[in-house]
Amino acid sequence: MNEKEDFELKQNTDNVFTEADANFVRESVNKAKEEERSHRNRTDEFRQMMKGAEKKRRKNRVLNILLVVFAAVFLVSGFFLVRYYIASHNNQKLVDSLKEMLDTEEPGENPAEKENPETPSSKDKSSEKEEKSTPESPFVNVGGKLVLRKFGKIYEKNPDFVGWLSIEDTSVDYPVMYTPYDEEKYLRKNYDGEYALAGTLFLAADSDPVRPATNLIIYGHNMKDGSMFSDILKYKKQDFYEEHKLIRFDTIYGTNTYEVLAAFPGQILEMGAEGFRYYTFFNAETAEDFNDYIENVTALSVIRTTAEAAFGDELLTLSTCENVGANEGKRFVVVAKRIGE
């Protein structure tokens, strides 16, 4: 083989290996790219899977936190709700015990004769006849103060007690306290002076039951369980008024019946604000003052009443919080006039 042929053979051989190498390289590159794409896809899938898992974990974490919060709120609410009704039940038990202390016997009445009027002990004895013929005073002396007999035991137990308020066929049937030196003493206290969410009905400091004032104002809470002054909001309806025109407020000084003449939404106003301040009216110095008050309450009244009031009449006002807006000073008010014992 000559040098020329040897050169051509070598050149051809080099060209053959070069082409094969190129093909190999191309195949390797393509394979690498394919593997890289596959790896990238798997990486993306893994990242998406991890993101999904992390998102799910975050979602579950949030749900778990919300579940814990809701459970805590439920337990706390349940605790306060149970405590609320237990307190209400205990307060009602106290009121019932006070009712049992009321002396409902008429002056001069002999319990033995009432039970068995035919017993020999009740007849044929001149001394007993004389005792019976002597009327017994409706008042008793309690610590140097004359108090209506039926309230003697209750007043003796707590001299802050001033009377009993009741509206027939309603839940309103409670003792009323009077502490002019500390008007809101019983706002969150029961008759015994212990803490009570429902508090006790109380007279405004300027409502002097001795004189008496032109207007006696009694405050009470509007409780969700229907106790205390909750039922006076029913005076928003004409039908309720028609069946509950009379209010009874017997004090340690005497018995009193009042007839409803207005029921209206009131407002505790801020200092300097204009508006009708029903809670500042206690004594009418003139007929003009009295008539102005009556005109305001009747104009605001949400019910139509048949009662009329004139200068010289004695008034009774019941005030409680509205269901909505209590914190903004919204109140519901019932005004009545005294018509007798």
Side-chain angles (χ1 to χ4, degrees), residues 177-188:
M177 314 304 280
Y178 181 53
T179 51
Y181 53 87
D182 182 10
E183 182 177 83
E184 297 185 351
K185 176 180 177 179
Y186 288 90
L187 183 68
R188 294 297 181 188

Side-chain angles (χ1 to χ4, degrees), residues 156-182:
E156 184 176 21
K157 185 178 179 182
N158 187 344
D160 288 341
F161 171 81
V162 74
W164 199 283
L165 180 78
S166 61
I167 303 175
E168 191 174 358
D169 295 327
T170 73
S171 65
V172 180
D173 190 13
Y174 298 106
V176 179
M177 314 304 280
Y178 181 53
T179 51
Y181 53 87
D182 182 10

Side-chain angles (χ1 to χ4, degrees), residues 62-289:
V62 172
L63 290 175
N64 289 334
I65 292 173
L66 289 176
L67 182 61
V68 171
V69 171
F70 289 148
V73 170
F74 176 78
L75 290 174
V76 171
S77 299
F79 169 76
F80 282 107
L81 186 63
V82 170
R83 192 178 73 164
Y84 179 93
Y85 282 100
I86 289 177
S88 177
H89 175 70
N90 291 336
N91 193 56
Q92 188 57 50
K93 284 179 61 178
L94 175 59
V95 172
D96 290 341
S97 70
L98 293 175
K99 290 179 182 178
E100 293 177 357
M101 295 172 62
L102 291 171
D103 185 353
T104 56
E105 295 176 10
E106 293 296 329
E109 186 175 56
N110 188 326
E113 291 182 4
K114 184 177 181 181
E115 291 178 3
N116 189 0
E118 300 301 325
T119 56
S121 61
S122 63
K123 294 183 177 182
D124 302 327
K125 292 185 179 181
S126 59
S127 60
E128 291 182 0
K129 288 182 180 180
E130 290 176 1
E131 182 180 349
K132 185 176 179 180
S133 65
T134 303
E136 188 177 358
S137 171
F139 295 91
V140 292
N141 190 314
V142 181
K145 185 172 186 176
L146 288 179
V147 175
L148 199 64
R149 178 174 294 278
K150 72 173 182 177
F151 295 136
K153 295 178 181 178
I154 300 178
Y155 179 81
E156 184 176 21
K157 185 178 179 182
N158 187 344
D160 288 341
F161 171 81
V162 74
W164 199 283
L165 180 78
S166 61
I167 303 175
E168 191 174 358
D169 295 327
T170 73
S171 65
V172 180
D173 190 13
Y174 298 106
V176 179
M177 314 304 280
Y178 181 53
T179 51
Y181 53 87
D182 182 10
E183 182 177 83
E184 297 185 351
K185 176 180 177 179
Y186 288 90
L187 183 68
R188 294 297 181 188
K189 290 183 178 181
N190 61 21
Y191 166 88
D192 286 338
E194 300 170 344
Y195 175 80
L197 185 64
T200 309
L201 304 184
F202 62 92
L203 267 176
D206 291 328
S207 294
D208 190 344
V210 179
R211 283 186 261 177
T214 302
N215 185 30
L216 302 178
I217 301 179
I218 300 178
Y219 294 105
H221 289 295
N222 169 21
M223 304 303 291
K224 294 180 181 179
D225 64 352
S227 63
M228 306 312 289
F229 265 178
S230 177
D231 271 359
I232 74 168
L233 276 82
K234 293 179 180 179
Y235 278 106
K236 291 180 179 181
K237 296 183 178 180
Q238 187 71 26
D239 290 346
F240 182 83
Y241 155 73
E242 297 292 346
E243 297 177 359
H244 302 84
K245 292 184 178 182
L246 301 182
I247 298 174
R248 188 85 181 177
F249 180 43
D250 294 340
T251 72
I252 57 176
Y253 306 107
T255 56
N256 307 281
T257 300
Y258 296 82
E259 183 179 0
V260 174
L261 60 84
F264 60 94
Q267 178 78 34
I268 304 298
L269 301 172
E270 294 182 358
M271 187 71 69
E274 294 185 0
F276 177 52
R277 289 176 167 79
Y278 71 91
Y279 48 88
T280 63
F281 179 76
F282 296 100
N283 287 291
E285 299 295 336
T286 64
E288 183 180 0
D289 292 338

